[in-house]
Amino acid sequence: MLTFTIRRLVLAIPTLLFISLVIFLLLELAPGDPMAQVPLTVPPEVKEKMREALGLGQPLHVRYWKWLVQFFWIEPKVLIDYAFNTSFSADDLRVISWQTRSPVMDTVAQRMPQTLWVVGTAYVVGILIAIPVGIYSAYRQYSWFDNAGTFVTMVGFSVPPFFSGVLVIVIFSVQLGWFPSIYDTTHRVTDWSSFLAQVNQMIMPVMVLALQITSQISRFMRASMLDNLNQDYVRTARAKGLRERSVILMHVLRNSMIPVVTVIALGIPAIFGGAIITEQVFKVNGIGQLLIIAIQANDLPMVQTLTFIFAVLIVLFNLIADVLYGILDPRIRYD
Amino acid sequence: MAFLIPVFAMTETPLEIESEVSTVEAEPDKPPRSQWVDIWQQLKAHKGAMVGTYLFAFITIGVFVGPFIWHIDPTYLPQGRDFIDLRDTRPIYTLIWDSQAKVSWAHPLGTDNLGRDALARLMSGGRVSIAVGLTAMVLSILLGTIIGVVAGFFRRMDGSLMRLTDLFLALPLLPLILVASLLFRDPLSNSFGTEGGIFILIVVLIGLTSWMQTARIVRGDVLALKEREFVLAARSVGTTPVQLIIRHLLPNTLSPIMVSATLGIATAIITESALSFLGFGFPPDFPTWGRLLNDSVDRMVLYPERVLWPGLMISLTVLSVNYLGDGLRDALDPRIRGR
């Protein structure tokens, strides 16, 4: 298992390099000019100087190398400095955003908590709902609960978040006035009432995201339980006289969880991508909204860094899913 | 879809056997049933799939044939006094709870803030959305099938093509689609016209980013089929690889391809609407369901129907297609069929 993990880690490096190259080249083709906002009265030679100051004067491969160095070497050093109060990165040039002229990573670090709070909570809530629903629907296949559950998950699967989000805003914040329609990110939790306010404003975005997550995972859970319920070992367990409860929850559930756990791991990076739309609907200024703004403003370093962070997350969680699969299921041996 | 299939199934049965059967005295009461008849029976038994099929057919026909019945031009802008009279009419059903509402029987679903007819816009938006969904699905299935068959059939290509598939699966797709849709918008608009250019752009972007699952499934199927005796038999009578793929392998991989095709329509429609919703899709004067939804969000407090109708149409279309795909998967799975 260890050799497998190490081999996968080593293999992840060329994958990530290739993805970074794709992202870099795609963005280099972008027609947007960072000098477009500069007044026309500025003479061309001055513009050329400004361009060089932004690091645009050099040939493509030099810029790609510099970006890689900044991302993989300088930014981790900054992180270490921040964590241990050292000064490794004192005079290194970091990835600078063209919009704010401040390091990209600082902005990302500011936005991260909002995304993690909303998306993370939604993911946990979604899983907590999905697993019991999936178990019970499979156990009572074709019962009214199963039919209702299948229908609801199908709807959750089909209704896009930009409609369900708008719909809950119309119903719960416009008509009923229960929850605020805009997520206030400046809100600080200091005491009980401000905590309640935070929960209040999180309910709608979390529910919209959780509906999607629940529908995906509970479908998987149901299918996986159904696969296992007809197996011989279940009959054996029942024949031994085990209580139904322990047959389902100890024997079937543990075997059914194997594929579901990997699906949960694989879904984590996709949630960051999917949250772009939900964040836009509820005006949560998280990572997804940052990406949209950066694309619209032609802020290449920001877009490059963000897309690459997403790519790293995907590769990382693919790896985690594979390793988890091997750990959970002793029948699977990669080496 | 299932109507078209028996053509392929026929190629499997050699003609000689049929003539032999006719010479035998004891004829069976019923003609032998092809597997596609079985599948159709199974699909008919799946209530959700049938409702989905009819709903999707209804929406598609309504959207494409509707303009021949409902003649109002979706881009017509009333001028002068008409503009004030016609703009912001509510749907006709608003009368039920608000007798003072501004409604007009000429515009049963109301008009938007520029006086354009909502029903006509809904239909023209649906035409674009469904056309994008279908074309992008065809492109993605075509790509996925070709890559899957080539990877599965030619061992030399397998490694590199599957690495490519893995790489595409590891790309953050939505951000890249967003970036690319801004990037190639102007060059394509210049060469194919605004509408055609953006249509091509979005279809190609969705197609290029959604073929991976199909490729993987098809490759797996082809790998397994390649070892079967009928392929060996075909090879031994001198069938060329291309003939082998077209006549023997593709018809046998058809069921997973059909399932991913149906589900692909749903994904493509959602992606297109998401792009339009984020403002990266079609331009404002060229409505799609996602774009209509996006344009109406600012006024949804006063005019909730402008958000509801496009959103409902997207959701219903996707829901019906998903149900159809679900039923098709059950019907095509021989382990489930007949239960």
Side-chain angles (χ1 to χ4, degrees):
Chain A
M1 208 60 224
L2 192 67
T3 49
F4 170 74
T5 315
I6 292 169
R7 204 171 62 215
R8 279 299 307 263
L9 270 176
V10 173
L11 262 177
I13 294 170
T15 315
L16 280 178
L17 279 179
F18 183 82
I19 292 172
S20 71
L21 186 66
V22 170
I23 293 172
F24 184 81
L25 287 180
L26 188 62
L27 290 173
E28 280 310 311
L29 292 171
D33 182 4
M35 293 290 110
Q37 302 296 321
V38 175
L40 289 172
T41 47
V42 175
E45 58 270 19
V46 177
K47 267 191 185 174
E48 205 49 48
K49 286 255 170 61
M50 291 166 84
R51 200 180 282 276
E52 271 167 32
L54 282 175
L56 281 172
Q58 289 139 335
L60 206 65
H61 59 274
V62 175
R63 269 183 293 150
Y64 176 58
W65 175 247
K66 283 195 167 171
W67 178 59
L68 281 187
V69 169
Q70 281 175 330
F71 193 90
F72 283 109
W73 183 239
I74 296 177
E75 292 298 340
K77 277 205 291 189
V78 173
L79 194 68
I80 292 170
D81 284 356
Y82 181 75
F84 302 109
N85 265 330
T86 50
S87 54
F88 290 121
S89 61
D91 40 43
D92 289 326
L93 207 59
R94 301 177 65 187
V95 189
I96 301 290
S97 155
W98 288 349
Q99 279 179 102
T100 59
R101 315 280 152 144
S102 63
V104 168
M105 278 301 179
D106 291 1
T107 320
V108 173
Q110 284 167 10
R111 299 297 187 102
M112 202 54 121
Q114 281 88 286
T115 299
L116 282 185
W117 262 113
V118 175
V119 179
T121 319
Y123 211 56
V124 173
V125 169
I127 293 168
L128 287 181
I129 300 173
I131 288 179
V133 169
I135 296 171
Y136 196 73
S137 319
Y139 185 60
R140 296 250 179 268
Q141 198 189 2
Y142 301 130
S143 64
W144 70 266
F145 182 88
D146 180 31
N147 287 334
T150 319
F151 180 71
V152 170
T153 54
M154 203 54 144
V155 170
F157 206 59
S158 306
V159 178
F162 49 82
F163 181 51
S164 50
V166 167
L167 203 63
V168 293
I169 288 181
V170 168
I171 297 173
F172 292 108
S173 81
V174 175
Q175 303 291 336
L176 298 173
W178 289 356
F179 310 116
S181 74
I182 292 176
Y183 185 91
D184 177 12
T185 26
T186 56
H187 185 78
R188 293 264 161 276
V189 178
T190 48
D191 53 356
W192 182 244
S193 64
S194 64
F195 174 74
L196 281 185
Q198 171 72 12
V199 170
N200 210 25
Q201 66 173 351
M202 270 174 68
I203 285 179
M204 285 204 304
V206 165
M207 278 306 149
V208 166
L209 271 174
L211 177 67
Q212 275 192 306
I213 298 157
T214 307
S215 38
Q216 281 164 16
I217 293 176
S218 76
R219 280 163 70 89
F220 254 101
M221 189 73 223
R222 177 176 177 272
S224 167
M225 284 290 282
L226 281 178
D227 275 350
N228 276 295
L229 275 171
N230 292 328
Q231 302 266 330
D232 289 340
Y233 74 84
V234 181
R235 197 185 309 133
T236 314
R238 286 199 177 120
K240 281 194 300 186
L242 287 182
R243 278 175 308 147
E244 193 62 16
R245 202 185 163 74
S246 54
V247 172
I248 300 296
L249 292 185
M250 300 296 289
H251 291 69
V252 183
L253 180 62
R254 283 175 71 169
N255 278 301
S256 316
M257 278 306 280
I258 296 168
V260 177
V261 166
T262 53
V263 167
I264 290 174
L266 285 177
I268 293 173
I271 286 307
F272 280 91
I276 291 174
I277 293 164
T278 315
E279 286 182 0
Q280 198 74 6
V281 172
F282 291 98
K283 316 260 187 302
V284 183
N285 60 346
I287 300 271
Q289 196 241 13
L290 183 65
L291 178 75
I292 298 282
I293 292 177
I295 291 177
Q296 280 165 344
N298 263 318
D299 185 358
L300 289 193
M302 181 79 84
V303 180
Q304 271 167 350
T305 313
L306 280 177
T307 14
F308 196 56
I309 291 176
F310 288 145
V312 171
L313 283 174
I314 295 176
V315 172
L316 181 71
F317 279 98
N318 267 322
L319 180 76
I320 291 176
D322 275 0
V323 173
L324 265 183
Y325 209 79
I327 292 173
L328 292 176
D329 193 344
R331 286 168 297 186
I332 289 169
R333 278 287 153 260
Y334 293 107
D335 26 38
Chain B
M1 229 173 203
F3 311 104
L4 305 172
I5 305 313
V7 183
F8 293 104
M10 298 294 270
T11 58
E12 287 288 288
T13 28
L15 288 170
E16 291 81 7
I17 298 181
E18 277 174 34
S19 56
E20 267 174 41
V21 167
S22 58
T23 54
V24 176
E25 307 309 316
E27 286 205 12
D29 329 332
K30 280 188 209 160
R33 297 204 306 175
S34 106
Q35 61 162 331
W36 300 106
V37 178
D38 275 358
I39 288 167
W40 176 238
Q41 299 290 339
Q42 179 75 22
L43 192 65
K44 270 203 297 195
H46 195 294
K47 251 181 257 154
M50 285 328 276
V51 173
T53 314
Y54 290 132
L55 194 59
F56 184 60
F58 176 74
I59 292 174
T60 315
I61 291 170
V63 147
F64 280 95
V65 179
F68 293 104
I69 301 161
W70 190 250
H71 288 293
I72 297 180
D73 179 9
T75 56
Y76 170 72
L77 287 173
Q79 301 295 324
R81 227 196 113 71
D82 277 354
F83 173 68
I84 298 167
D85 285 345
L86 280 177
R87 65 180 296 206
D88 290 337
T89 30
R90 305 295 306 271
I92 208 80
Y93 55 78
T94 322
L95 284 177
I96 300 171
W97 64 87
D98 180 10
S99 57
Q100 299 301 308
K102 178 181 171 185
V103 295
S104 147
W105 281 104
H107 302 286
L109 283 188
T111 53
D112 68 355
N113 55 330
L114 296 177
R116 293 173 291 193
D117 181 59
L119 181 59
R121 271 163 78 75
L122 206 58
M123 285 195 288
S124 87
R127 250 188 337 265
V128 182
S129 287
I130 290 180
V132 167
L134 291 176
T135 334
M137 174 274 285
V138 169
L139 183 66
S140 115
I141 291 298
L142 217 62
L143 262 177
T145 312
I146 291 172
I147 290 177
V149 165
V150 170
F153 195 76
F154 302 104
R155 193 169 296 162
R156 229 176 306 142
M157 309 288 289
D158 192 17
S160 51
L161 279 179
M162 282 300 113
R163 288 295 81 70
L164 184 75
T165 315
D166 289 347
L167 279 177
F168 261 85
L169 281 171
L171 286 175
L173 293 175
L174 190 59
L176 283 184
I177 292 181
L178 292 180
V179 171
S181 72
L182 271 192
L183 199 64
F184 299 107
R185 171 168 304 246
D186 293 331
L188 278 171
S189 297
N190 291 340
S191 42
F192 297 99
T194 321
E195 292 161 12
I198 289 171
F199 186 85
I200 294 173
L201 172 72
I202 288 181
V203 163
V204 168
L205 280 180
I206 296 175
L208 277 184
T209 50
S210 57
W211 52 269
M212 291 82 75
Q213 301 299 339
T214 322
R216 281 190 158 183
I217 297 168
V218 170
R219 169 184 173 264
D221 268 20
V222 169
L223 275 181
L225 285 170
K226 214 170 63 170
E227 307 302 324
R228 299 264 290 272
E229 283 81 4
F230 72 91
V231 175
L232 187 67
R235 236 191 249 278
S236 64
V237 294
T239 320
T240 57
V242 177
Q243 282 294 315
L244 197 68
I245 288 172
I246 293 171
R247 287 187 58 127
H248 298 279
L249 294 180
L250 276 186
N252 281 303
T253 49
L254 210 56
S255 38
I257 294 177
M258 275 163 60
V259 174
S260 12
T262 8
L263 298 179
I265 300 175
T267 334
I269 290 177
I270 286 207
T271 314
E272 184 274 319
S273 327
L275 280 182
S276 296
F277 179 78
L278 292 174
F280 290 84
F282 286 92
D285 51 344
F286 192 63
T288 71
W289 285 336
R291 183 80 222 187
L292 290 176
L293 190 76
N294 182 26
D295 289 346
S296 335
V297 165
D298 297 335
R299 293 157 179 266
M300 67 185 173
V301 178
L302 287 174
Y303 305 102
E305 69 273 4
R306 291 186 199 161
V307 174
L308 283 182
W309 281 107
L312 211 60
M313 293 313 284
I314 298 173
S315 310
L316 276 181
T317 315
V318 173
L319 188 66
S320 66
V321 171
N322 273 339
Y323 258 112
L324 174 60
D326 228 30
L328 211 54
R329 188 190 348 238
D330 286 358
L332 290 169
D333 189 344
R335 288 173 304 176
I336 299 178
R337 206 190 309 151
R339 256 206 272 153

